[in-house]
Amino acid sequence: MKHGYRKWRCRCGCGKLTEVYACHLKSGHTKSCGCRKKESLEARATDLTGKRFGRLTALEPMGDGYWKCRCSCGNECITYKENLTCGNTKSCGCLQEEKRRENMKKAIHFVDGTCVERIACKRLFANNSTGFTGVYYIGNGKYRSYIGFKNKKYSIGTFTDLKAAVKARKEKEEELFGTFLEEYYASEPESRTAAL
């Protein structure tokens, strides 16, 4: 008894022993050792319902720290709470896709359906078997030459000699491309370094 008030030793539902004034037990003022208050505070602190994180609005907890969210684009997704609160996840993936497309626009330039970078670097396609741009081995000792320019694909011809196929492709390249690159770089000088 302290200051005239009787105390009782009680075991909380969590298993912890604690002393509580009798009057607090009778009035219902004290209902736990303090763990319920702590749990309530933690629950309020972690309740993300209705909160917005970038383009995501938290809808409901899914368990194990995961939350169902609705993106401003209309899609729904499930993401980890820490990723939301730390700012690691800001959309269903649409934001990253938009950034990727924007970066692609900056990195690749098309003029009349022709990719400037492909012409400039003359990179080979993965299925090229000859080592020469636009020249492919089609079997039976024959080679075929192609070229693409301004949304059109030109078949240059079929050859039994690789050198002849390569020569025909280069001639057609000079004919079609002409001063295309130089004119483009003259109008867009900052693109020269990226393309080469």
Side-chain angles (χ1 to χ4, degrees):
M1 187 178 293
K2 186 178 180 181
H3 304 299
Y5 294 100
R6 185 179 298 276
K7 293 183 90 174
W8 287 83
R9 178 169 288 197
C10 305
R11 186 177 299 278
C12 182
C14 71
K16 184 178 176 182
L17 286 173
T18 186
E19 290 186 352
V20 184
Y21 287 112
C23 61
H24 288 177
L25 286 172
K26 288 178 183 178
S27 67
H29 179 269
T30 302
K31 297 178 180 178
S32 74
C33 66
C35 63
R36 285 186 65 183
K37 185 176 181 181
K38 183 180 177 183
E39 286 172 3
S40 178
L41 288 171
E42 287 176 353
R44 284 200 296 271
T46 58
D47 185 12
L48 306 180
T49 306
K51 292 183 179 177
R52 192 170 173 91
F53 303 90
R55 295 183 177 187
L56 296 175
T57 300
L59 300 177
E60 60 180 316
M62 301 300 289
D64 296 326
Y66 287 90
W67 279 77
K68 180 191 278 188
C69 302
R70 178 172 289 116
C71 187
S72 58
C73 72
N75 288 335
E76 289 187 357
C77 64
I78 295 173
T79 188
Y80 193 55
K81 178 191 77 174
E82 297 300 326
N83 288 337
L84 288 171
T85 56
C86 293
N88 293 335
T89 304
K90 298 179 179 178
S91 75
C92 65
C94 62
L95 182 60
Q96 294 90 324
E97 181 61 20
E98 285 175 16
K99 286 181 179 178
R100 186 191 68 79
R101 287 178 184 171
E102 190 60 35
N103 289 337
M104 284 292 286
K105 286 179 183 177
K106 293 176 183 176
I108 298 177
H109 306 87
F110 283 87
V111 177
D112 297 330
T114 296
C115 177
V116 175
E117 287 74 17
R118 177 164 288 288
I119 291 175
C121 73
K122 300 181 182 178
R123 196 168 291 154
L124 294 172
F125 285 106
N127 64 347
N128 186 288
S129 56
T130 65
F132 296 96
T133 303
V135 180
Y136 301 88
Y137 180 69
I138 59 172
N140 297 323
K142 293 182 180 179
Y143 301 89
R144 187 164 290 158
S145 295
Y146 291 98
I147 192 167
F149 188 60
K150 294 189 176 180
N151 274 336
K152 291 183 181 178
K153 187 174 183 180
Y154 299 88
S155 177
I156 300 167
T158 303
F159 306 83
T160 54
D161 180 55
L162 176 59
K163 288 182 180 178
V166 172
K167 183 182 179 207
R169 171 57 164 78
K170 286 186 176 178
E171 288 174 354
K172 192 68 173 177
E173 184 177 309
E174 289 174 10
E175 174 193 330
L176 291 176
F177 296 169
T179 58
F180 176 79
L181 284 176
E182 288 308 315
E183 289 173 1
Y184 175 77
Y185 292 139
S187 63
E188 302 284 343
E190 69 281 358
S191 300
R192 181 182 288 271
T193 304
L196 294 174

